[in-house]
């Protein structure tokens, strides 16, 4: 079966995907630098470089998994495929937490950058930063409810802006106050700093490289994902790691650690890039510093707004994938004509993100560090699960088409396994354990979030009367809409017509719908539409509609029938669906079209492209019927 989904089109080429990946992964430096510097102090560049290398190792497994399974869901998809639905749900649920934290941090830091640009310190003060953050989330969700977002349309512009601003800060900073002596002396433990502080900072450093899951969720919209996705992913990550480390070097040079504290974290925790620009004072004309502050502040606010938007989109797409596989309520998998993703999912994400923002604003002290530690719980768990899934898929599905393979490989019991995953999985798991040991947020709030998710999962599976380990295939189930008030079935004589009416009747009985059957008479342009129908045509229409009514009576379903005269069958069905506000069109597709260049007939293809509602297409196997579609 196939249904009409006006949605995830493969529109992302290599430049567009590179831009999206750079925007997503590179935006995190705007809120992560101050949080990490507060703990790592002068060792911030080292910590970011080590975490960047680990991130790059993990991305090799993500590239293989998403190229082999180019679907929405990211790590949750190939974890479910490798193990079972329970493992897929746990991975997806902790990733929900990470998306929500990125939304919260992006919107909480946004007013600080905006306030620095506009010269309005009140925006950076409590409670106005929380008010602005809540307003931004509400505005994004409201806009997404009205229309779908086109990530790739603005991605290139934002990527150019982001790279330009970061390079400008780096070049000016290196030229103005870079000092090898200060940098070298900073690469050491500060006063009262110990290995415990470094171990505490390492999990937090994963916050500097967010967005990998958002990019993985775009595999379903990427042209030639097997080649384009890995190439774009690795090039963007490599550039992000370089710029992140260089900016960190500038940070520790401009704000050397004194008395066991970082000036950057003390004064510019929530706008660290603006803080670096202010360090140019005394080295550059004041007017130029003011211009740079405005540019960095405005661009930072814009990039953080974009990061929050794409995080909301990624969260809802992950929810759709999980709902299709019976892991979340079906409402979260519904496709909407305007927003593309489910309205229920958008509202739920917005409400939970706002709750996190408000709760964070109410906390005193290390509220941002708490969210960062909670983020490390989810992302490190997901990274470990994703790499283990890639290893297992190599063993259980050796013939799976893998356009990209993580290399180098080592043979274990005759199976070529990816060395990056064999190394990366134990490393990410070790850092995850380190996060649990050193961070109360990861140790307590993370498992609490996971426990809540498991309750949701068990309730959903109980309603579906399915085991928690069952693999629910969305192709074998109906679209996850709650109900269809009207079901339209175009009629024709013979086996195909009977099967289509039977399908429509079964749907009507299950969901309390009404059925409307139409017989479309196609009139060539050489003849007028208003004339009487030929006797044989009129008889076929009456027999076909009578057949539909009889089948409905046998099953206790009333079927409304009518005959429509038109030039084009496909246009007539679409117009009838518009005029009568139907919720579902049921069509049959004979096998002869799949032996030709088209998969569906021109009529079915037109309806799929232009129907105002969902379309259920039953594609019959080759040899089932000899009738034409």
């Amino acid at each position: 079966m196939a249904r009409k989904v006006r949605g995830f089109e493969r529109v992302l080429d290599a430049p567009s995907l590179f831009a999206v990946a750079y925007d997503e992964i590179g935006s995190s430096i705007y809120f992560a630098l101050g949080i990490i510097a507060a703990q790592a102090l002068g060792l911030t560049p080292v910590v970011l470089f080590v975490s960047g290398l680990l991130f790059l190792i993990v991305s090799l497994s993500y590239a293989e998994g998403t190229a082999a399974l180019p679907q929405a869901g990211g790590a949750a998809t190939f974890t479910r495929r490798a193990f079972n639905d329970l493992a897929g749900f746990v991975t997806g649920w902790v990733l929900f937490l990470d998306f929500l934290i990125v939304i919260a941090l992006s919107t909480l830091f946004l007013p600080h950058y905006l306030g620095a640009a506009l010269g309005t310190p009140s925006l950076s003060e409590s409670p106005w930063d929380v008010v602005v953050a809540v307003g931004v989330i509400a505005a994004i969700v409201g806009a997404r409810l009205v229309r779908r977002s086109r990530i790739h349309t603005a991605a290139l512009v934002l990527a150019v802006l982001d790279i330009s601003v970061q390079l400008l800060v780096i070049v000016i900073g290196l030229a103005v106050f870079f000092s090898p002596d200060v940098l070298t002396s900073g690469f050491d433990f500060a006063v009262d700093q110990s290995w415990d502080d470094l171990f505490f900072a390492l999990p937090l450093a994963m916050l500097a490289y967010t967005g990998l899951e958002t990019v993985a969720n775009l595999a379903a919209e990427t042209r030639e994902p097997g080649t384009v996705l890995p190439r774009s992913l690795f090039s963007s990550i490599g550039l992000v790691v370089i710029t992140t480390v260089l900016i960190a070097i500038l940070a520790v040079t401009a704000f050397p650690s004194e008395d066991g504290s970082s000036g950057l974290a003390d004064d510019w925790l929530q706008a660290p890039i603006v803080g670096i620009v202010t360090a140019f004072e005394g080295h550059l004309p004041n007017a130029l510093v003011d211009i740079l502050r405005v540019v960095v502040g405005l661009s930072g606010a814009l990039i953080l707004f974009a990061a929050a938007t794409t995080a909301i989109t990624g969260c809802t797409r992950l929810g759709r994938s999980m709902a299709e596989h019976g892991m979340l309520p079906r409402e979260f998998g519904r496709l909407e004509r305007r927003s593309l993703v489910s309205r229920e999912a958008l509202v739920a994400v917005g409400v939970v993100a706002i709750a996190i923002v408000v709760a964070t604003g109410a906390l005193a002290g290390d509220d941002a560090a708490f969210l960062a530690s909670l983020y490390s719980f989810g992302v490190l768990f997901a990274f470990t699960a994703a790499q283990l899934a890639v290893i297992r898929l190599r063993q259980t599905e050796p013939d799976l088409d893998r356009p990209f393979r993580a290399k180098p490989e080592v043979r274990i019991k005759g199976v070529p396994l990816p060395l990056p995953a064999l190394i990366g999985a134990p490393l990410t798991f070790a850092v995850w354990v380190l996060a649990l040991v050193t961070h109360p947020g990861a140790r307590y709030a993370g498992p609490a979030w996971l426990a809540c998710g498991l309750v949701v999962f068990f309730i959903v599976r109980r309603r579906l009367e399915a085991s928690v380990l069952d693999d629910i295939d969305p192709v074998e189930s109906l679209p996850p809409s709650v109900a269809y008030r009207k079901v339209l079935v175009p009629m024709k004589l013979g086996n195909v017509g009977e099967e289509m009416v039977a399908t429509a009747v079964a749907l009507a009985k299950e969901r309390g719908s009404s059925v409307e059957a139409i017989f479309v008479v196609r009139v060539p342009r050489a003849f007028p539409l208003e004339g009487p129908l030929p006797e044989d045509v009129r008889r076929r229409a009456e027999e076909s509609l009578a057949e539909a009514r009889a089948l409905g009576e046998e099953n206790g379903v009333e079927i409304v029938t009518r005959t429509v005269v038109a030039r084009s069958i496909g246009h007539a069905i679409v117009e009838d669906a518009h005029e009568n506000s139907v919720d579902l069109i049921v069509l049959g597709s004979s096998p002869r079209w799949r032996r030709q260049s088209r998969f569906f007939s021109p009529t079915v293809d037109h309806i799929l492209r232009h129907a105002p509602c969902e379309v259920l297409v039953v594609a019959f196997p080759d040899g089932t019927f000899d009738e034409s579609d």
Side-chain angles (χ1 to χ4, degrees):
M1 287 188 290
R3 65 179 168 125
K4 176 237 179 217
V5 178
R6 193 171 301 174
F8 300 132
E9 305 167 352
R10 295 196 180 276
V11 295
L12 293 174
D13 54 12
S16 298
L17 189 61
F18 168 83
V20 173
Y22 189 89
D23 291 340
E24 284 301 296
I25 301 170
S27 63
S28 53
I29 190 63
Y30 287 89
F31 54 76
L33 180 59
I35 299 173
I36 299 167
Q39 302 298 328
L41 301 178
L43 295 176
T44 298
V46 177
V47 171
L48 288 174
F49 180 71
V50 171
S51 59
L53 290 180
L54 182 58
F55 188 76
L56 187 58
I57 292 173
V58 172
S59 68
L60 290 168
S61 295
Y62 266 81
E64 178 172 323
T66 52
L69 303 170
Q71 307 164 16
T77 295
F78 41 92
T79 302
R80 176 189 56 79
R81 177 76 168 259
F83 299 104
N84 51 52
D85 278 20
L86 179 58
F89 171 81
V90 171
T91 303
W93 187 255
V94 296
L95 287 171
F96 272 131
L97 179 62
D98 287 345
F99 277 122
L100 292 168
I101 290 173
V102 170
I103 296 168
L105 287 176
S106 297
T107 54
L108 279 171
F109 280 53
L110 185 152
H112 293 264
Y113 280 93
L114 189 60
L118 301 180
T120 52
S122 59
L123 284 176
S124 305
E125 298 173 356
S126 180
W128 297 113
D129 55 347
V130 175
V131 172
V132 172
V134 170
V136 169
I137 295 173
I140 294 172
V141 171
R144 290 287 285 110
L145 288 172
V146 175
R147 60 179 298 176
R148 63 178 295 188
S149 63
R150 296 281 185 177
I151 297 176
H152 62 283
T153 54
L156 282 171
V157 175
L158 282 175
V160 171
L161 175 64
D162 196 7
I163 294 172
S164 300
V165 170
Q166 291 182 5
L167 288 180
L168 180 64
V169 172
I170 291 170
V171 171
I172 294 178
L174 292 177
V176 168
F177 54 64
F178 175 72
S179 170
D181 294 334
V182 175
L183 179 62
T184 304
S185 62
F187 280 173
D188 198 357
F189 290 114
V191 178
D192 296 329
Q193 188 183 23
S194 65
W195 282 102
D196 292 340
D197 298 305
L198 197 61
F199 291 149
F200 188 91
L202 187 57
L204 294 181
M206 301 307 299
L207 185 66
Y209 303 103
T210 64
L212 183 57
E213 269 297 320
T214 303
V215 178
N217 271 285
L218 296 176
E221 299 179 59
T222 303
R223 299 173 187 170
E224 302 178 4
T227 56
V228 170
L229 193 145
R231 187 185 310 132
S232 302
L233 188 62
F234 298 144
S235 57
S236 60
I237 290 176
L239 184 57
V240 166
V241 172
I242 293 173
T243 56
T244 297
V245 173
L246 288 175
I247 289 175
I249 291 174
L250 291 181
V252 299
T253 305
F255 295 91
S257 302
E258 296 179 358
D259 299 326
S261 64
S262 168
L264 181 70
D266 293 340
D267 301 327
W268 297 97
L269 175 67
Q270 294 177 304
I273 310 301
V274 174
I276 294 176
V277 171
T278 62
F280 296 160
E281 294 178 355
H283 302 276
L284 295 177
N286 291 337
L288 181 57
V289 174
D290 290 338
I291 293 174
L292 288 174
R293 188 186 69 251
V294 171
V295 170
V296 171
L298 290 178
S299 63
L302 181 60
I303 291 165
L304 289 173
F305 179 86
T309 302
T310 50
I312 290 175
T313 300
C315 200
T316 53
R317 293 185 186 193
L318 175 60
R320 174 178 177 264
S321 174
M322 294 175 67
E324 283 189 327
H325 291 277
M327 301 178 189
L328 292 177
R330 285 186 171 183
E331 290 80 1
F332 287 84
R334 191 205 311 270
L335 290 178
E336 304 290 346
R337 200 168 304 119
R338 289 182 180 271
S339 62
L340 182 61
V341 294
S342 162
R343 289 194 299 265
E344 289 83 353
L346 279 170
V347 172
V349 169
V351 169
V352 177
I354 287 174
I356 293 176
V357 167
V358 173
T360 302
L363 293 175
D366 298 332
D367 48 356
F370 177 85
L371 288 182
S373 67
L374 193 53
Y375 177 88
S376 68
F377 170 86
V379 73
L380 290 167
F381 184 97
F383 283 176
T384 304
Q387 293 174 103
L388 292 176
V390 169
I391 294 171
R392 181 169 174 79
L393 285 173
R394 288 283 191 101
Q395 297 170 322
T396 58
E397 299 187 43
D399 297 328
L400 179 66
D401 183 26
R402 294 176 173 85
F404 173 84
R405 298 174 69 93
K407 293 182 178 180
E409 300 174 335
V410 293
R411 286 191 170 271
I412 300 178
K413 296 182 179 180
V415 179
L417 299 180
L419 185 60
L422 293 172
I423 295 175
L427 287 177
T428 52
F429 180 75
V431 181
W432 182 72
V433 172
L434 188 63
L436 292 177
V437 172
T438 58
H439 293 269
R443 185 164 59 251
Y444 299 115
W449 170 264
L450 189 55
C452 293
L454 290 174
V455 172
V456 173
F457 181 61
F458 291 142
I459 292 175
V460 171
R461 284 302 170 98
R462 184 174 181 180
R463 290 179 178 176
L464 295 175
E465 299 181 353
S467 167
V468 295
L469 300 180
D470 285 349
D471 181 14
I472 296 180
D473 189 349
V475 176
E476 296 178 357
S477 60
L478 291 171
S481 301
V482 175
Y484 301 113
R485 293 175 294 107
K486 289 185 180 180
V487 178
L488 177 65
V489 53
M491 286 299 304
K492 64 190 302 183
L493 287 174
N495 294 327
V496 174
E498 291 179 359
E499 290 291 333
M500 291 306 93
V501 175
T503 301
V505 168
L507 279 171
K509 291 182 66 176
E510 177 186 347
R511 305 199 177 192
S513 313
S514 63
V515 177
E516 301 189 6
I518 63 171
F519 188 97
V520 181
V521 178
R522 189 177 68 84
V523 179
R525 295 190 179 277
F527 300 95
L529 288 174
E530 296 78 13
L533 296 176
E535 181 62 25
D536 60 331
V537 174
R538 184 183 60 80
R539 185 178 64 256
R540 287 203 308 272
E542 291 179 353
E543 291 176 357
S544 178
L545 296 175
E547 187 179 80
R549 289 191 296 269
L551 188 58
E553 291 175 1
E554 291 178 5
N555 291 273
V557 176
E558 183 179 357
I559 299 181
V560 177
T561 61
R562 55 183 172 271
T563 301
V564 178
V565 179
R567 301 293 187 190
S568 166
I569 296 176
H571 281 83
I573 295 172
V574 171
E575 290 178 5
D576 191 90
H578 270 291
E579 293 173 0
N580 294 281
S581 301
V582 302
D583 301 296
L584 178 71
I585 301 174
V586 178
L587 299 172
S589 175
S590 66
R592 77 180 182 89
W593 291 103
R594 294 186 293 281
R595 295 193 295 268
Q596 301 179 19
S597 59
R598 296 174 181 268
F599 187 81
F600 293 125
S601 68
T603 297
V604 174
D605 185 69
H606 177 84
I607 296 171
L608 286 170
R609 293 178 182 274
H610 301 286
C613 59
E614 291 182 343
V615 180
L616 179 66
V617 181
V618 179
F620 295 100
D622 197 7
T624 304
F625 303 124
D626 294 329
E627 300 179 43
S628 61
D629 186 4

